[in-house]
Amino acid sequence: MEAIKVCKSCLMPSSRPRVTFDNSGVCNACNYLKKKEKINWKDRKKEFLEICDKHRSKNGKYDCIVPWSGGKDSSSIAHKLKFNFNMNPLLVTFSPLLPSDIGNQNREILIRAGFDNIFFRPNQNISKYLSKRFFLERGNPKVHWDAGINVLPIKVALEKNIKLIFYAEHGESEYGGKIIKENSDKIRDFEEVLENQIGDDPSNWIDDKVSLNDLNPYKYPDEKVLINSEIKAYYFSYFFKWDVYKNYEYVKKSYGFKENKSRISGTFQNYDSMDDLIDPLYYYMQFIKFGFGRALRDASRLVQNNHLSRNEALEKISMYDGEFPNENINEILEYLNCNLIEFNENIDRHRNKEIWKMDGNEYKRTFEIR
């Protein structure tokens, strides 16, 4: 590994998978934001309206799908589509691994505002087994969930003959990553989903406890079927300037989106990615494998859109980044069917040896965020 750099603008380190840096030490996410400053957003909105006009339902049928967690981003998109642009979206949810009370409440609030929702919960025996397997093997208990959230909206679109899907943001562009095609920030396609989102074929997960039939919720439809279906999947962030904090402000004001009563473990905020109790572990494992955690992720996005100064971000990162996921630890251990000793031993097995060095009786990171 090359010496790890920290973005001179947003603080994201080069250990983030697929991120790149220019010669000035600025990451490609921040450079993408600079390009967006030159975009004519009125033209982008016009293009968006033309797409909506082409697909808008005239007979009461669903005209688009929103992959929906119940969180601030997908909820802001669903609300705008229905109430600002007169669309009739169907909300499609692949269940969190460990659904939280606040996540359930927020989904219920938006549904009661006038939405239809398909909520899919896969075989829990298989899901729990795969969570533990992937936690042990890859340090990520959500590998199969990542597959499921990508697969379900497409399958529902095929089954219901809905030709339009609106995803939230293109993460590889907005936060730094690998841009596969020139229009990857606009149109979502199979190649990128497989390479950047899932990174694996679920058929590889078959073993003595998991059969091919068990993997149906996670297997992507055949590419030829998708091409023939003429389904178009777009990123909302291409048409409207993306800002996660403003999305939060929008849902809070528009229909009373609820925050956590206290900040979320590993970070300073109480309103983002709070629908799954296993998420604090997921983000902690990022800290173990890549040297940055949830607080840095959140602060970086706020710095990029001028909601935090760099110094304010550094202060919050130093306070909370890499905090051990004690929150809901008993529920997590039960779900993963392991004890605390096995849990901690597996965490240390996944420490990146080029990021962490043993100093006395504790691990120290080999680079600083500054």
Side-chain angles (χ1 to χ4, degrees), residues 114-256:
F115 289 87
D116 294 340
N117 171 226
I118 291 177
F119 186 96
F120 179 80
R121 193 152 169 79
N123 181 326
Q124 288 301 283
N125 292 330
I126 298 300
S127 182
K128 289 181 179 181
Y129 172 77
L130 289 174
S131 284
K132 180 171 185 178
R133 174 176 160 182
F134 291 137
F135 173 60
L136 295 176
E137 291 179 359
R138 310 186 193 186
N140 178 3
K142 300 186 72 171
V143 171
H144 59 306
W145 181 86
D146 287 334
I149 62 169
N150 281 285
V151 166
L152 183 63
I154 296 293
K155 285 189 172 180
V156 173
L158 287 169
E159 291 170 1
K160 296 189 174 297
N161 195 30
I162 301 172
K163 303 296 185 183
L164 181 62
I165 304 175
F166 282 113
Y167 286 86
E169 79 274 46
H170 182 244
E172 300 295 304
S173 296
E174 295 286 341
Y175 311 127
K178 183 178 179 181
I179 313 302
I180 292 179
K181 296 180 180 178
E182 187 176 346
N183 66 349
S184 286
D185 61 345
K186 177 182 179 181
I187 298 173
R188 186 179 176 95
D189 67 15
F190 175 79
E191 179 184 353
E192 176 162 19
V193 168
L194 191 62
E195 181 165 344
N196 287 347
Q197 303 296 325
I198 302 173
D200 196 2
D201 184 340
S203 298
N204 295 329
W205 306 344
I206 295 173
D207 62 13
D208 59 345
K209 293 187 178 180
V210 178
S211 70
L212 183 62
N213 289 344
D214 294 326
L215 296 173
N216 184 56
Y218 311 106
K219 286 185 66 65
Y220 217 75
D222 185 87
E223 188 173 9
K224 291 181 180 178
V225 173
L226 290 177
I227 293 172
N228 293 333
S229 73
E230 298 182 342
I231 293 171
K232 293 290 185 182
Y234 295 98
Y235 290 105
F236 202 81
S237 60
Y238 175 82
F239 303 102
F240 302 94
K241 190 173 181 180
W242 191 250
D243 187 321
V244 293
Y245 189 74
K246 287 187 177 179
N247 289 343
Y248 159 66
E249 290 183 320
Y250 177 88
V251 294
K252 181 69 176 174
K253 180 179 179 181
S254 297
Y255 67 88

Side-chain angles (χ1 to χ4, degrees), residues 341-355:
I341 294 175
E342 181 184 11
F343 181 80
N344 285 325
E345 287 176 348
N346 188 62
I347 287 173
D348 284 338
R349 273 198 296 271
H350 288 281
R351 284 187 187 273
N352 188 321
K353 299 299 190 296
E354 295 182 87
I355 290 177

Side-chain angles (χ1 to χ4, degrees), residues 1-2 31 48 51 64 106 112-113 258 272 283 343 357:
M1 183 187 293
E2 295 180 0
N31 284 323
F48 171 81
I51 293 170
C64 62
N106 278 323
R112 290 187 180 186
K258 294 183 180 297
D272 180 51
Y283 289 110
F343 181 80
K357 299 294 183 185

